[in-house]
Amino acid sequence: MPESETLRQVLEDAAARIDRIDAEYLLLHVLERSRTWLFMHSDEAIDDRAHSAFDALLARRAAGEPVAYLLGHRGFWTLDLETTPATLIPRADTELLVELALAHLPIDAPVTVADLGTGSGAIALAIAKERPRARVIATDASPAALEVARRNAVRNGIANVEWRHGDWFAPLAPERFDVIASNPPYIAAGDPHLAVGDLRFEPMSALASGTDGLDDIRRIIAGAPAHLVDGGWLLLEHGFDQGEDVRALLHAAGFADVETRQDVEQRDRVSRGRWTDGR
């Protein structure tokens, strides 16, 4: 590439290959600059080192690698989280789960929260930051994911989360919690979406769950009553077409006040229910 090529030209060329916003994020990452700086200096020439580094990232993104993995971090809630192929990429849809969990957790009282299948730690850390008096326990079956989550706790200066290795409730016996939250795998194993886009690069064990996508949700709903205080809440993220099924599972397990809430695109996203002992 000619040395005189400007940042604006580089972005225009990249936008012919990948999404322009993705290209901008990658260029800013290479330049270690802000979007404001880029806007003010878009007619400046790009140096050879930055151009080579950008071209390498551009090729990887064109091949399908997620931007969050290429950058090594992703914003979630008010946090900046390290992202690696060991965990799912935190997504804005999951912020609804955090919002609803916080609604059941008073600010000025000691409460207990479990985050099942924590991955990058996004849910646990967001709740812990907003509720500093809470005792949050986060579990994951993947040691590699827990290492990412621990680093994210340090990265964001959050100390009131305990990280435990194990499958769903296994590391929790016999504790009980005011709130249990989870964003479990919920895609059907044969879903064609698993073979396209960013999902190809994310851990399959954190995406797919049985022929209808509900196997792990069934396990969590079945196990939750033994780990909830009287009046405690279970909150589950799920697919846009699974709200009715998840509500039915919660009702069948004896949960009260069952409802499904929709995300910003008006799609079913989080279902919840309240457990009352001695129903």
Side-chain angles (χ1 to χ4, degrees):
M1 290 292 180
E3 188 175 345
S4 60
E5 190 169 16
T6 66
L7 296 170
R8 186 194 309 276
Q9 290 170 326
V10 167
L11 269 180
E12 289 174 354
D13 291 343
R17 299 176 59 189
I18 67 171
D19 178 82
R20 182 181 176 86
I21 296 298
D22 289 351
E24 191 171 292
Y25 278 130
L26 296 178
L27 183 58
L28 293 173
H29 176 70
V30 167
L31 297 174
E32 297 182 341
R33 298 288 190 175
S34 68
R35 293 188 75 188
T36 301
W37 183 92
L38 182 60
F39 177 77
M40 297 293 293
H41 297 81
S42 60
D43 289 323
E44 292 186 9
I46 185 171
D47 64 56
D48 291 342
R49 180 205 61 80
H51 207 323
S52 295
F54 178 63
D55 282 345
L57 289 176
L58 183 62
R60 291 171 64 185
R61 179 56 186 152
E65 284 192 58
V67 170
Y69 291 160
L70 296 175
L71 300 181
H73 67 98
R74 168 64 65 87
F76 178 84
W77 198 254
T78 60
L79 310 172
D80 182 60
L81 300 175
E82 176 188 344
T83 52
T84 82
T87 73
L88 284 184
I89 298 167
R91 290 175 169 84
D93 287 344
T94 303
E95 293 184 354
L96 175 62
L97 180 63
V98 172
E99 179 185 337
L100 295 174
L102 291 173
H104 299 299
L105 298 168
I107 296 175
D108 57 352
V111 289
T112 56
V113 182
D115 171 25
L116 307 182
T118 193
S120 65
I123 296 167
L125 292 170
I127 292 173
K129 182 175 182 181
E130 299 296 332
R131 299 292 185 268
R133 297 192 65 190
R135 176 172 177 256
V136 183
I137 296 177
T139 73
D140 205 289
S142 166
L146 285 175
E147 284 303 311
V148 175
R150 289 188 182 100
R151 291 197 296 270
N152 277 326
V154 174
R155 182 187 187 102
N156 289 277
I158 298 171
N160 55 322
V161 182
E162 180 182 341
W163 311 99
R164 296 186 187 177
H165 176 239
D167 193 38
W168 302 128
F169 296 102
L172 300 182
E175 294 155 287
R176 289 180 178 264
F177 299 86
D178 297 289
V179 166
I180 296 173
S182 183
N183 176 21
Y186 55 74
I187 302 176
D191 193 307
H193 291 95
L194 293 170
V196 299
D198 288 0
L199 296 185
R200 293 173 294 163
F201 294 85
E202 297 184 76
M204 191 60 60
S205 61
L207 292 169
S209 182
T211 56
D212 63 357
L214 294 172
D215 281 5
D216 286 307
I217 287 177
R218 291 188 183 95
R219 291 179 62 193
I220 292 171
I221 290 174
H227 296 280
L228 284 167
V229 301
D230 187 18
W233 287 85
L234 173 64
L235 299 97
L236 297 163
E237 181 173 335
H238 51 70
F240 72 93
D241 57 350
Q242 295 173 326
E244 183 177 356
D245 289 335
V246 176
R247 290 195 302 275
L249 290 168
L250 287 166
H251 280 300
F255 283 85
D257 301 326
V258 172
E259 68 164 348
T260 298
R261 295 290 294 273
Q262 295 182 323
D263 59 24
V264 294
E265 296 185 6
Q266 304 303 306
R267 301 172 301 184
D268 285 358
R269 183 57 60 194
V270 176
S271 290
R272 61 182 170 179
R274 181 174 58 85
W275 180 255
T276 302
D277 289 338
R279 281 178 56 89

